[in-house]
Amino acid sequence: MTHHRLNYVEALHAHGYRVTPQRVTVLDAVCRAGGHARPAQILALAREGDLHIDRSTVYRSLEVLVKAGLVLTAPGESGIDTLYEIVQETPHHHLRCTVCGRETELDGESAARLFENLERETGYRLTGDHLMLTGVCPECQASSNNQVVE
Amino acid sequence: MTHHRLNYVEALHAHGYRVTPQRVTVLDAVCRAGGHARPAQILALAREGDLHIDRSTVYRSLEVLVKAGLVLTAPGESGIDTLYEIVQETPHHHLRCTVCGRETELDGESAARLFENLERETGYRLTGDHLMLTGVCPECQASSNNQVVE
DNA sequence: AGTCTACTTGCGACAAATCGCAGTAATCCC
DNA sequence: GGGATTACTGCGATTTGTCGCAAGTAGACT
């Protein structure tokens, strides 16, 4: 249960949100899902904790938790659906191979350097610390030359 | 009508897809939408061209067009919905300010440098040439110090 | 602790998106 | 060009996500 470490009470209050049993249940569900989770999975896990929690409540809670910075979203495989993930101490990014589908985590350090450059160029302070990059992994590059079309 | 420039026939065939009137209609709709478009808008535009095109056909066509590399997806404002955009000759990225909501385009050049570094570090060949970065723009940084919570 | 206010929840209705299936048509091959 | 093959479309049914509203409850203040 990761979320005991991050004080969700403070995070919610800081954003003007109330702490309700339902929101804690949903937060817990996202934690227990581990890694990326689809809404359906979160709904199911949430109902293990609260048998009668409503679907709309789960969706609304997710929205609140994301805004409070407790949960992250990431685009799913197809780029159409949305995945949810509990926030971690160390920011990280994802690298998905479009050929074999495998996913690698990219530590925040390499990304931080890149962000620094971008911040210098644009003047923005970048906060989106959870990118989903896509590419072709070394193994797949080696084994196939016929996938390159574009 | 941008898509006459990119030979969609070849792109579709290269990925093993057939070229159907419906898919051309949808591709055309995405073009005419210009910039980011929500599915509802695309559906409406598609029906201008083909009065009886089915909703599921539009969704399935979008999926195919994305896989064929003719259309790009981007996460919408909330991070939950998906926007579609016609592919362009010059890759570009988006920078959205989380405070004022404004969007800036980031030219491909700065990003290319960013990608180069990442490719060196990871060994991946990066293809996701359409990132949606979020941050706080210079103006909003100047005017507010009370938004920083985390 | 009790009361008040306004944010939240659950519900029902609605809209958006997905899925399986039977008929149709794009492509291949001759 | 004609026929066979198999992907694609449209349809209906289902699932998923959203919205408005009345009842409930967290948080603030006394």
Side-chain angles (χ1 to χ4, degrees):
Chain A
M1 231 148 327
T2 324
H3 72 246
H4 287 152
R5 268 181 258 155
L6 35 98
N7 46 1
Y8 57 89
V9 175
E10 206 172 302
L12 285 169
H13 282 175
H15 287 260
Y17 295 120
R18 292 184 181 173
V19 178
T20 68
Q22 289 88 343
R23 285 175 182 167
V24 177
T25 300
V26 173
L27 182 58
D28 198 45
V30 177
C31 279
R32 283 172 41 220
H36 292 163
R38 355 192 117 267
Q41 194 183 351
I42 294 169
L43 177 59
L45 283 170
R47 285 202 169 137
E48 287 182 11
D50 176 351
L51 207 56
H52 296 299
I53 194 168
D54 194 69
R55 191 150 33 111
S56 27
T57 302
V58 172
Y59 282 108
R60 287 187 283 223
S61 296
L62 281 172
E63 197 181 336
V64 165
L65 293 171
V66 168
K67 284 189 185 151
L70 294 165
V71 169
L72 296 170
T73 59
E77 186 104 16
S78 64
I80 295 176
D81 54 337
T82 304
L83 304 174
Y84 295 87
E85 179 180 1
I86 195 71
V87 104
Q88 291 170 29
E89 299 84 38
T90 58
H92 66 285
H93 305 262
H94 296 270
L95 208 47
R96 181 189 290 141
C97 176
T98 53
V99 178
C100 65
R102 244 182 322 174
E103 255 184 46
T104 318
E105 284 208 357
L106 182 64
D107 68 79
E109 212 174 291
S110 348
R113 262 201 306 284
L114 300 167
F115 274 29
E116 268 172 38
N117 286 338
L118 272 181
E119 290 190 332
R120 252 200 306 282
E121 288 185 32
T122 62
Y124 270 61
R125 185 167 58 77
L126 295 174
T127 54
D129 55 352
H130 192 236
L131 295 180
M132 175 67 76
L133 298 166
T134 55
V136 183
C137 71
E139 290 81 21
C140 291
Q141 281 179 59
S143 62
S144 75
N145 301 27
N146 51 345
Q147 300 273 357
V148 190
V149 185
E150 208 145 351
Chain B
M1 231 151 321
T2 324
H3 72 246
H4 287 153
R5 268 181 258 156
L6 35 96
N7 47 1
Y8 56 89
V9 174
E10 206 173 301
L12 284 170
H13 282 174
H15 288 260
Y17 296 120
R18 293 182 181 174
V19 178
T20 68
Q22 290 88 344
R23 285 175 182 167
V24 177
T25 301
V26 173
L27 182 59
D28 198 46
V30 177
C31 277
R32 283 170 42 219
H36 292 163
R38 350 191 122 269
Q41 193 182 352
I42 294 168
L43 178 59
L45 283 169
R47 284 199 170 140
E48 287 182 11
D50 176 352
L51 207 57
H52 296 299
I53 193 168
D54 194 70
R55 182 201 298 271
S56 26
T57 302
V58 172
Y59 283 109
R60 287 188 281 223
S61 296
L62 281 172
E63 197 181 336
V64 165
L65 293 171
V66 168
K67 284 190 186 151
L70 294 165
V71 169
L72 295 171
T73 59
E77 187 103 17
S78 64
I80 294 176
D81 55 335
T82 304
L83 305 174
Y84 295 87
E85 179 180 1
I86 195 73
V87 105
Q88 290 170 29
E89 298 84 40
T90 59
H92 66 284
H93 304 263
H94 298 272
L95 208 46
R96 181 189 292 143
C97 176
T98 52
V99 179
C100 65
R102 244 182 321 176
E103 253 184 48
T104 318
E105 283 208 358
L106 183 64
D107 68 79
E109 210 175 293
S110 344
R113 261 201 307 283
L114 186 142
F115 275 25
E116 266 172 40
N117 286 335
L118 268 183
E119 291 190 330
R120 251 201 307 281
E121 289 185 31
T122 62
Y124 270 60
R125 186 168 56 78
L126 294 174
T127 54
D129 55 353
H130 193 235
L131 294 180
M132 175 68 75
L133 297 167
T134 55
V136 183
C137 71
E139 290 81 21
C140 291
Q141 282 179 58
S143 62
S144 74
N145 301 26
N146 52 346
Q147 301 273 358
V148 188
V149 184
E150 210 142 352

